[in-house]
Amino acid sequence: MKSETEREKIEQAYREIEKYRDKVEKDYYRLQYHLMPPVGLMNDPNGLIHWNGVYHVFYQWMPFHTGHGAKFWGHYTSCDLIHWKQEKIALAPSEWYDKDGCYSGSAIDHDGVLTLFYTGNVKDEHGNRQTYQCMAVSKNGIDFEKKGVVVTLPDGYTAHFRDPKVWKKGDKWYMIVGAQSESLDGKAVLFRSQNLRDWEHLGPITGGNSRQLGKFGYMWECPDLFELDGQEVLIVCPQGLEAEAMRYQNVHQSGYFVGRLDYETAQFLHGPFAELDRGFEFYAPQTMLDAKGRRILIAWMGVPDQDEDKHPTIAHRWVHALTLPRELKLKDGKLYQTPVEELQMLRKDKIAYSNVTIANEEMILEGISGDVIELNLENICLSGGIMEIAIRNTARIIYHSDERMLTLERKSFANGLTEKRQCRLERLHSLHMFLDTSSMEVFVNKGEEVFTARFFPYKHNQTISFAANGHLVFDIQKWSL
Ligand code: FRU
């Protein structure tokens, strides 16, 4: 049963959805096949789980305005990762231990009960923060009952201690929490439990200012730890890394370490940090294992503190969205991300050209245009020089073959100026792009790199053009989605 306060909060949020439904629907920039909020602000995906044949995606949600605040958990479900149903609101901030936000967390199945772990965020009248790791349960996967606090703040950390991810190893449960130590270093902290209620603090498995890493951010958010292709991967979002050449260009970063966790000593021996995405808007990814054995990642298509108030969609009372679900594979210690194959269900009206040849010119290909489309360029062969794809006069993808550099440029929606993100790439052989009105996800060389970004082109400009200074040949397929 939900408390009276929680039920009232939920009613208020439903009224907000009703009030602004039309306004959100009428926004040209709303997304057609990505998860976005019914109204208000969406941030991290939470509680990803494939449970009894249904994919559950919960998310951080502020229904009452397009900024942050006391977050709810919104909830979508799907049988195929394509057709999503908006479910009842799962959690609302209401109790002494979560009154200022049901912050991010994860989901597990416990003897047939869908069990959520999340951070209860609490602020006192002076703005001082407290943090509690909390539990909520549901038998039907839709109606959740809060069970209160299961972990309080251990010594040695500030109240920036949140985003529990729980999993089972052998016959024990483990929880990893994102943390800030009292020395202001980001850490990933491990707990162990037999019964999900009593948790033993095992300490930080890695973090900044440790044996393995020098200073590495003042806070680590949203950790996720899982096995993949015989190794262990720790995904984490360090805050406060300085930009270095082409790396760490966003306000906050999101990436991973590959290594081995010793569950007895609670030490994670790992290699270097690698960013997950090269684009402008990507943060707080979370993963789930599905019944087909796939490790699927979904992230927030946004970054905290990065031009949040400048998104044009705010005029339509909503902001941000989630990325497409991506399947993860580990090859030679590197994560590859590819869009899940179910997305092919969306394809309509295929147009294809093979051996398109462009030499020192710019070209438009009949039928290769649009705002809600998938584009797949394969067998790209650029002999010297530069190739460029201009998308709706608002973004460009540029590959510079001599410098071995791939660039995504866009017109900033904050100030109209051109801004870019880049990475080194030995060779470019394929570009698989998903455009959804105001979002783009570009999968490079079958997931070797990904660029995720929002962009806001004029509705009537749906032109995509191809240019090469040099000699370029490729095959291309396009679908409307
Ligand atoms: C990451 C984050 C989490 C927190 C949540 C609050 O974007 O700051 O650390 O739990 O968002 O919405």
Side-chain angles (χ1 to χ4, degrees):
M1 273 286 283
K2 291 199 178 292
S3 70
E4 186 64 27
T5 329
E6 191 176 15
R7 275 184 291 157
E8 274 168 23
K9 281 274 168 93
I10 288 177
E11 283 312 313
Q12 270 175 28
Y14 284 131
R15 286 199 291 277
E16 207 70 5
I17 297 180
E18 282 313 312
K19 193 162 158 201
Y20 293 105
R21 188 189 300 281
D22 240 35
K23 207 178 177 77
V24 176
E25 288 288 321
K26 286 196 176 119
D27 187 7
Y28 166 65
Y29 291 128
R30 62 168 291 117
L31 302 177
Q32 303 296 323
Y33 58 92
H34 284 79
L35 290 175
M36 58 172 265
V39 65
L41 175 143
M42 169 187 257
N43 57 307
D44 314 354
N46 292 155
L48 302 190
I49 189 167
H50 191 204
W51 192 68
N52 297 338
V54 177
Y55 293 97
H56 291 256
V57 172
F58 302 84
Y59 61 91
Q60 285 291 283
W61 182 40
M62 166 40 73
F64 304 120
H65 52 89
T66 50
H68 292 271
K71 298 287 168 59
F72 288 58
W73 275 40
H75 187 191
Y76 287 110
T77 59
S78 172
C79 292
D80 57 12
L81 293 168
I82 301 297
H83 303 93
W84 293 97
K85 178 170 175 237
Q86 189 181 312
E87 298 289 0
K88 287 186 201 167
I89 295 166
L91 300 173
S94 56
E95 310 306 315
W96 66 266
Y97 51 79
D98 66 9
K99 70 180 181 56
D100 297 296
C102 299
Y103 274 11
S104 287
S106 57
I108 53 155
D109 171 80
H110 182 226
D111 297 336
V113 176
L114 184 52
T115 306
L116 308 181
F117 292 88
Y118 67 98
T119 298
N121 182 51
V122 175
K123 283 189 177 158
D124 69 14
E125 62 274 25
H126 309 293
N128 298 319
R129 191 189 288 265
Q130 284 163 352
T131 178
Y132 302 98
Q133 312 316 313
C134 309
M135 184 164 95
V137 297
S138 171
K139 289 213 168 90
N140 64 6
I142 304 298
D143 300 291
F144 288 87
E145 183 176 328
K146 292 181 185 174
K147 291 289 181 191
V149 178
V150 295
V151 172
T152 54
L153 183 64
D155 288 344
Y157 300 96
T158 74
H160 289 286
F161 193 88
R162 55 181 172 262
D163 312 334
K165 169 86 187 203
V166 175
W167 72 98
K168 196 170 198 178
K169 173 85 178 171
D171 60 353
K172 299 200 175 65
W173 295 98
Y174 290 85
M175 177 193 285
I176 190 104
V177 179
Q180 176 178 66
S181 67
E182 276 173 349
S183 57
L184 305 187
D185 290 294
K187 304 276 179 189
V189 180
L190 191 66
F191 293 81
R192 180 169 56 205
S193 173
Q194 303 272 14
N195 59 10
L196 296 173
R197 284 215 163 255
D198 307 301
W199 291 89
E200 181 190 353
H201 172 218
L202 301 178
I205 61 164
T206 184
N209 206 6
S210 64
R211 248 187 325 143
Q212 299 191 81
L213 289 170
K215 276 279 171 197
F216 208 76
Y218 55 79
M219 166 66 188
W220 285 12
E221 293 189 317
C222 301
D224 188 355
L225 199 145
F226 52 88
E227 285 183 23
L228 187 64
D229 302 323
Q231 288 190 276
E232 271 145 346
V233 178
L234 171 66
I235 288 183
V236 70
C237 296
Q239 301 195 303
L241 301 186
E242 292 287 322
E244 260 175 34
M246 284 172 285
R247 298 162 69 193
Y248 313 151
Q249 294 293 318
N250 293 332
V251 174
H252 301 301
Q253 321 308 325
S254 172
Y256 65 97
F257 301 97
V258 177
R260 173 66 48 212
L261 175 64
D262 182 330
Y263 281 84
E264 288 315 308
T265 60
Q267 287 301 299
F268 181 58
L269 285 181
H270 59 76
F273 181 76
E275 281 178 277
L276 270 163
D277 196 283
R278 303 293 182 165
F280 295 89
E281 276 88 23
F282 182 95
Y283 196 74
Q286 192 176 110
T287 69
M288 65 178 143
L289 191 64
D290 80 350
K292 295 181 184 164
R294 296 179 297 181
R295 179 58 60 176
I296 295 174
L297 174 146
I298 298 178
W300 173 28
M301 233 181 332
V303 173
D305 312 319
Q306 186 168 288
D307 297 327
E308 197 133 73
D309 50 341
K310 305 278 187 354
H311 282 245
T313 62
I314 283 174
H316 284 265
R317 199 73 191 191
W318 72 281
V319 67
H320 301 312
L322 301 184
T323 66
L324 291 175
R326 305 165 178 189
E327 185 176 351
L328 294 183
K329 291 259 164 61
L330 197 59
K331 285 185 214 160
D332 300 328
K334 181 176 164 57
L335 277 184
Y336 280 66
Q337 301 172 58
T338 48
V340 293
E341 63 183 10
E342 285 87 340
L343 286 159
Q344 295 173 15
M345 281 193 260
L346 293 171
R347 291 174 172 175
K348 293 182 302 223
D349 307 328
K350 176 173 172 180
I351 296 182
Y353 294 94
S354 36
N355 280 313
V356 178
T357 305
I358 302 182
N360 298 312
E361 61 185 325
E362 181 174 7
M363 195 180 268
I364 285 172
L365 297 166
E366 198 183 334
I368 308 283
S369 61
D371 54 357
V372 184
I373 61 172
E374 177 184 347
L375 276 181
N376 190 23
L377 278 77
E378 291 199 318
N379 302 317
I380 299 174
C381 181
L382 176 65
S383 15
I386 301 170
M387 77 173 269
E388 184 181 312
I389 305 174
I391 303 167
R392 308 186 61 197
N393 203 28
T394 313
R396 295 195 304 159
I397 296 165
I398 302 158
Y399 184 62
H400 201 299
S401 63
D402 301 333
E403 289 176 14
R404 309 226 176 313
M405 178 100 79
L406 186 65
T407 304
L408 171 67
E409 258 184 28
R410 75 168 173 194
K411 203 179 276 179
S412 157
F413 50 83
N415 58 22
L417 301 177
T418 300
E419 52 188 356
K420 64 184 178 190
R421 294 288 184 271
Q422 298 185 298
C423 71
R424 286 225 172 270
L425 195 73
E426 263 318 293
R427 207 175 88 78
L428 176 65
H429 50 84
S430 70
L431 283 172
H432 191 184
M433 301 188 241
F434 289 81
L435 308 185
D436 190 359
T437 319
S438 61
S439 79
M440 68 166 76
E441 281 155 285
V442 182
F443 297 86
V444 182
N445 293 349
K446 312 270 179 221
E448 184 182 336
E449 303 289 351
V450 191
F451 286 76
T452 302
R454 301 297 302 283
F455 74 133
F456 297 92
Y458 292 117
K459 179 175 177 181
H460 296 293
N461 188 335
Q462 307 216 346
T463 307
I464 295 172
S465 66
F466 303 84
N469 146 7
H471 190 266
L472 169 69
V473 183
F474 59 88
D475 299 331
I476 185 167
Q477 300 164 304
K478 176 231 152 181
W479 294 268
S480 300
L481 301 180

Short mmCIF file of all heavy atoms in Angstrom, two decimals, residues 316-346:
data_model
loop_
_atom_site.label_atom_id
_atom_site.label_comp_id
_atom_site.label_asym_id
_atom_site.label_seq_id
_atom_site.Cartn_x
_atom_site.Cartn_y
_atom_site.Cartn_z
N HIS A 316 7.50 23.73 -24.82
CA HIS A 316 6.40 22.77 -24.88
C HIS A 316 6.33 21.90 -23.63
O HIS A 316 5.79 20.81 -23.63
CB HIS A 316 6.51 21.91 -26.14
CG HIS A 316 6.09 22.64 -27.37
ND1 HIS A 316 4.82 22.56 -27.87
CD2 HIS A 316 6.76 23.52 -28.14
CE1 HIS A 316 4.73 23.34 -28.94
NE2 HIS A 316 5.89 23.94 -29.13
N ARG A 317 6.96 22.41 -22.56
CA ARG A 317 6.79 21.81 -21.24
C ARG A 317 7.41 20.41 -21.07
O ARG A 317 6.96 19.62 -20.27
CB ARG A 317 5.28 21.77 -20.94
CG ARG A 317 4.89 21.61 -19.50
CD ARG A 317 5.11 22.82 -18.66
NE ARG A 317 4.94 22.51 -17.24
CZ ARG A 317 4.88 23.42 -16.27
NH1 ARG A 317 4.98 24.70 -16.57
NH2 ARG A 317 4.75 23.07 -15.03
N TRP A 318 8.43 20.10 -21.86
CA TRP A 318 9.14 18.84 -21.62
C TRP A 318 10.61 19.04 -21.97
O TRP A 318 10.96 19.97 -22.72
CB TRP A 318 8.56 17.68 -22.44
CG TRP A 318 8.84 17.75 -23.92
CD1 TRP A 318 8.19 18.52 -24.84
CD2 TRP A 318 9.86 17.04 -24.64
NE1 TRP A 318 8.73 18.34 -26.09
CE2 TRP A 318 9.76 17.43 -26.00
CE3 TRP A 318 10.85 16.11 -24.29
CZ2 TRP A 318 10.61 16.92 -27.00
CZ3 TRP A 318 11.69 15.62 -25.28
CH2 TRP A 318 11.56 16.02 -26.62
N VAL A 319 11.47 18.17 -21.42
CA VAL A 319 12.88 18.24 -21.79
C VAL A 319 13.54 16.88 -21.55
O VAL A 319 13.21 16.16 -20.60
CB VAL A 319 13.61 19.38 -21.02
CG1 VAL A 319 13.71 19.12 -19.53
CG2 VAL A 319 15.00 19.66 -21.60
N HIS A 320 14.43 16.52 -22.48
CA HIS A 320 15.27 15.30 -22.43
C HIS A 320 14.53 14.01 -22.82
O HIS A 320 13.30 13.98 -22.88
CB HIS A 320 15.94 15.10 -21.08
CG HIS A 320 16.82 16.24 -20.67
ND1 HIS A 320 17.75 16.81 -21.50
CD2 HIS A 320 16.93 16.90 -19.49
CE1 HIS A 320 18.38 17.77 -20.85
NE2 HIS A 320 17.90 17.86 -19.64
N ALA A 321 15.35 12.99 -23.01
CA ALA A 321 14.84 11.70 -23.47
C ALA A 321 15.88 10.64 -23.14
O ALA A 321 16.95 10.95 -22.61
CB ALA A 321 14.62 11.76 -24.98
N LEU A 322 15.54 9.39 -23.45
CA LEU A 322 16.51 8.29 -23.26
C LEU A 322 17.06 7.87 -24.62
O LEU A 322 16.41 8.06 -25.65
CB LEU A 322 15.85 7.10 -22.58
CG LEU A 322 15.24 7.37 -21.20
CD1 LEU A 322 14.70 6.07 -20.59
CD2 LEU A 322 16.25 8.01 -20.24
N THR A 323 18.22 7.25 -24.62
CA THR A 323 18.81 6.75 -25.87
C THR A 323 18.04 5.51 -26.32
O THR A 323 17.26 4.93 -25.57
CB THR A 323 20.27 6.31 -25.69
OG1 THR A 323 20.30 5.17 -24.82
CG2 THR A 323 21.13 7.42 -25.13
N LEU A 324 18.33 5.07 -27.51
CA LEU A 324 17.85 3.77 -27.97
C LEU A 324 18.51 2.69 -27.13
O LEU A 324 19.63 2.87 -26.64
CB LEU A 324 18.28 3.55 -29.43
CG LEU A 324 17.58 4.43 -30.46
CD1 LEU A 324 18.18 4.19 -31.83
CD2 LEU A 324 16.08 4.16 -30.47
N PRO A 325 17.84 1.53 -26.99
CA PRO A 325 18.51 0.40 -26.33
C PRO A 325 19.66 -0.11 -27.22
O PRO A 325 19.49 -0.24 -28.43
CB PRO A 325 17.42 -0.67 -26.23
CG PRO A 325 16.14 -0.03 -26.66
CD PRO A 325 16.46 1.22 -27.39
N ARG A 326 20.80 -0.35 -26.59
CA ARG A 326 21.98 -0.77 -27.35
C ARG A 326 22.51 -2.06 -26.76
O ARG A 326 22.59 -2.20 -25.54
CB ARG A 326 23.08 0.29 -27.23
CG ARG A 326 22.61 1.65 -27.67
CD ARG A 326 23.56 2.73 -27.21
NE ARG A 326 23.12 4.03 -27.69
CZ ARG A 326 23.84 5.14 -27.60
NH1 ARG A 326 25.04 5.11 -27.04
NH2 ARG A 326 23.37 6.27 -28.05
N GLU A 327 22.90 -2.96 -27.61
CA GLU A 327 23.49 -4.21 -27.12
C GLU A 327 24.99 -4.01 -26.95
O GLU A 327 25.65 -3.43 -27.81
CB GLU A 327 23.21 -5.33 -28.13
CG GLU A 327 23.70 -6.66 -27.60
CD GLU A 327 23.36 -7.83 -28.51
OE1 GLU A 327 22.60 -7.66 -29.48
OE2 GLU A 327 23.90 -8.92 -28.23
N LEU A 328 25.52 -4.50 -25.82
CA LEU A 328 26.95 -4.35 -25.54
C LEU A 328 27.70 -5.64 -25.82
O LEU A 328 27.22 -6.73 -25.50
CB LEU A 328 27.16 -4.00 -24.06
CG LEU A 328 26.64 -2.68 -23.56
CD1 LEU A 328 27.01 -2.50 -22.08
CD2 LEU A 328 27.19 -1.52 -24.37
N LYS A 329 28.89 -5.48 -26.38
CA LYS A 329 29.82 -6.61 -26.55
C LYS A 329 31.20 -6.11 -26.16
O LYS A 329 31.51 -4.93 -26.37
CB LYS A 329 29.86 -7.05 -28.02
CG LYS A 329 28.60 -7.71 -28.54
CD LYS A 329 28.76 -9.22 -28.57
CE LYS A 329 27.45 -9.96 -28.71
NZ LYS A 329 26.74 -9.64 -29.92
N LEU A 330 32.01 -7.02 -25.62
CA LEU A 330 33.37 -6.65 -25.26
C LEU A 330 34.32 -7.33 -26.24
O LEU A 330 34.29 -8.56 -26.37
CB LEU A 330 33.64 -7.12 -23.84
CG LEU A 330 34.81 -6.55 -23.08
CD1 LEU A 330 34.70 -5.04 -22.94
CD2 LEU A 330 34.87 -7.19 -21.69
N LYS A 331 35.10 -6.52 -26.95
CA LYS A 331 36.08 -7.12 -27.88
C LYS A 331 37.43 -6.50 -27.58
O LYS A 331 37.57 -5.27 -27.62
CB LYS A 331 35.73 -6.76 -29.33
CG LYS A 331 34.54 -7.52 -29.89
CD LYS A 331 34.35 -7.19 -31.38
CE LYS A 331 32.88 -7.21 -31.72
NZ LYS A 331 32.54 -6.47 -32.92
N ASP A 332 38.42 -7.33 -27.30
CA ASP A 332 39.77 -6.85 -26.97
C ASP A 332 39.73 -5.74 -25.93
O ASP A 332 40.38 -4.70 -26.08
CB ASP A 332 40.48 -6.34 -28.24
CG ASP A 332 40.62 -7.44 -29.27
OD1 ASP A 332 40.76 -8.60 -28.85
OD2 ASP A 332 40.55 -7.14 -30.47
N GLY A 333 38.93 -5.94 -24.90
CA GLY A 333 38.91 -4.97 -23.80
C GLY A 333 38.15 -3.69 -24.10
O GLY A 333 38.18 -2.76 -23.30
N LYS A 334 37.46 -3.64 -25.23
CA LYS A 334 36.73 -2.41 -25.57
C LYS A 334 35.24 -2.72 -25.73
O LYS A 334 34.87 -3.73 -26.31
CB LYS A 334 37.30 -1.88 -26.90
CG LYS A 334 36.64 -0.61 -27.36
CD LYS A 334 37.30 -0.08 -28.63
CE LYS A 334 36.43 0.95 -29.33
NZ LYS A 334 36.08 2.09 -28.51
N LEU A 335 34.40 -1.83 -25.22
CA LEU A 335 32.95 -2.03 -25.36
C LEU A 335 32.49 -1.54 -26.73
O LEU A 335 32.81 -0.43 -27.15
CB LEU A 335 32.19 -1.24 -24.30
CG LEU A 335 32.03 -1.87 -22.92
CD1 LEU A 335 31.16 -0.97 -22.05
CD2 LEU A 335 31.42 -3.26 -22.98
N TYR A 336 31.73 -2.40 -27.39
CA TYR A 336 31.07 -2.04 -28.65
C TYR A 336 29.58 -1.92 -28.36
O TYR A 336 29.03 -2.74 -27.63
CB TYR A 336 31.31 -3.14 -29.70
CG TYR A 336 32.66 -3.04 -30.36
CD1 TYR A 336 33.82 -3.27 -29.64
CD2 TYR A 336 32.76 -2.72 -31.71
CE1 TYR A 336 35.07 -3.16 -30.24
CE2 TYR A 336 34.00 -2.61 -32.32
CZ TYR A 336 35.15 -2.82 -31.59
OH TYR A 336 36.38 -2.71 -32.18
N GLN A 337 28.95 -0.93 -28.95
CA GLN A 337 27.51 -0.73 -28.75
C GLN A 337 26.81 -0.77 -30.09
O GLN A 337 27.18 -0.01 -30.99
CB GLN A 337 27.24 0.65 -28.15
CG GLN A 337 27.91 0.91 -26.84
CD GLN A 337 27.75 2.37 -26.44
OE1 GLN A 337 26.64 2.87 -26.32
NE2 GLN A 337 28.85 3.08 -26.25
N THR A 338 25.80 -1.63 -30.21
CA THR A 338 25.03 -1.63 -31.46
C THR A 338 23.54 -1.51 -31.12
O THR A 338 23.09 -2.03 -30.09
CB THR A 338 25.25 -2.92 -32.26
OG1 THR A 338 25.12 -4.04 -31.39
CG2 THR A 338 26.64 -2.95 -32.89
N PRO A 339 22.79 -0.84 -31.97
CA PRO A 339 21.34 -0.71 -31.70
C PRO A 339 20.71 -2.10 -31.69
O PRO A 339 21.07 -2.94 -32.54
CB PRO A 339 20.83 0.11 -32.89
CG PRO A 339 21.89 0.04 -33.94
CD PRO A 339 23.19 -0.20 -33.24
N VAL A 340 19.78 -2.37 -30.78
CA VAL A 340 19.19 -3.72 -30.72
C VAL A 340 18.49 -4.05 -32.04
O VAL A 340 17.92 -3.17 -32.69
CB VAL A 340 18.20 -3.90 -29.54
CG1 VAL A 340 18.93 -3.82 -28.22
CG2 VAL A 340 17.06 -2.90 -29.61
N GLU A 341 18.53 -5.32 -32.40
CA GLU A 341 18.02 -5.71 -33.73
C GLU A 341 16.52 -5.48 -33.88
O GLU A 341 16.01 -5.30 -34.98
CB GLU A 341 18.37 -7.17 -34.05
CG GLU A 341 17.71 -8.14 -33.08
CD GLU A 341 18.11 -9.59 -33.33
OE1 GLU A 341 19.03 -9.83 -34.13
OE2 GLU A 341 17.47 -10.46 -32.71
N GLU A 342 15.79 -5.43 -32.75
CA GLU A 342 14.34 -5.20 -32.81
C GLU A 342 14.01 -3.89 -33.54
O GLU A 342 12.92 -3.73 -34.08
CB GLU A 342 13.74 -5.12 -31.41
CG GLU A 342 13.59 -6.46 -30.70
CD GLU A 342 14.83 -6.88 -29.94
OE1 GLU A 342 15.94 -6.36 -30.24
OE2 GLU A 342 14.70 -7.73 -29.04
N LEU A 343 14.94 -2.95 -33.53
CA LEU A 343 14.67 -1.65 -34.19
C LEU A 343 14.34 -1.82 -35.66
O LEU A 343 13.69 -0.96 -36.26
CB LEU A 343 15.86 -0.70 -34.00
CG LEU A 343 15.96 -0.14 -32.58
CD1 LEU A 343 17.35 0.35 -32.28
CD2 LEU A 343 14.94 0.99 -32.40
N GLN A 344 14.75 -2.94 -36.23
CA GLN A 344 14.45 -3.17 -37.65
C GLN A 344 12.95 -3.26 -37.90
O GLN A 344 12.49 -3.06 -39.02
CB GLN A 344 15.15 -4.45 -38.13
CG GLN A 344 16.66 -4.29 -38.10
CD GLN A 344 17.39 -5.59 -38.41
OE1 GLN A 344 16.80 -6.53 -38.90
NE2 GLN A 344 18.68 -5.62 -38.10
N MET A 345 12.18 -3.55 -36.83
CA MET A 345 10.72 -3.61 -36.98
C MET A 345 10.13 -2.27 -37.40
O MET A 345 9.01 -2.21 -37.90
CB MET A 345 10.07 -3.98 -35.64
CG MET A 345 10.12 -5.43 -35.30
SD MET A 345 8.98 -5.69 -33.92
CE MET A 345 10.10 -5.74 -32.56
N LEU A 346 10.85 -1.20 -37.11
CA LEU A 346 10.32 0.14 -37.40
C LEU A 346 10.50 0.53 -38.87
O LEU A 346 9.93 1.52 -39.33
CB LEU A 346 11.05 1.19 -36.56
CG LEU A 346 10.83 1.15 -35.05
CD1 LEU A 346 11.80 2.10 -34.36
CD2 LEU A 346 9.39 1.54 -34.73
#
